[in-house]
Amino acid sequence: MPKVLRCKHIGPDKHCLFEARGETNEEILEQVAAHAKTEHGIEQVTEELVEAALSKIVEEE
Ligand SMILES: [Zn+2]
């Protein structure tokens, strides 16, 4: 079952519709890092951000 992380749950923009999908947390973190950089200007993915992201990853229904 794929996992999903919604940007609005961790990002600065509560209306952002970006969703990262993958089979593993690593896949999702990679997508989120790329998205955060291009869409939100976040150059540095901090440990706090990674932790927040990991806590919000859910299995897709
Ligand atoms: Zn976003």
Side-chain angles (χ1 to χ4, degrees):
M1 189 174 293
K3 298 163 185 271
V4 61
L5 174 64
R6 294 178 174 86
C7 181
K8 64 182 177 185
H9 289 162
I10 57 160
D13 181 352
K14 299 301 173 208
H15 302 288
C16 181
L17 295 176
F18 177 79
E19 297 178 349
R21 276 195 179 72
E23 294 295 326
T24 65
N25 291 347
E26 288 71 28
E27 258 182 83
I28 289 175
L29 286 177
E30 236 171 72
Q31 292 171 43
V32 166
H35 168 78
K37 189 172 179 178
T38 56
E39 296 296 321
H40 302 298
I42 298 170
E43 294 287 337
Q44 193 74 36
V45 176
T46 61
E47 215 163 288
E48 286 77 19
L49 188 54
V50 169
E51 266 173 42
L54 288 175
S55 73
K56 296 294 185 186
I57 291 175
V58 294
E59 300 226 321
E60 193 163 37
E61 290 163 33

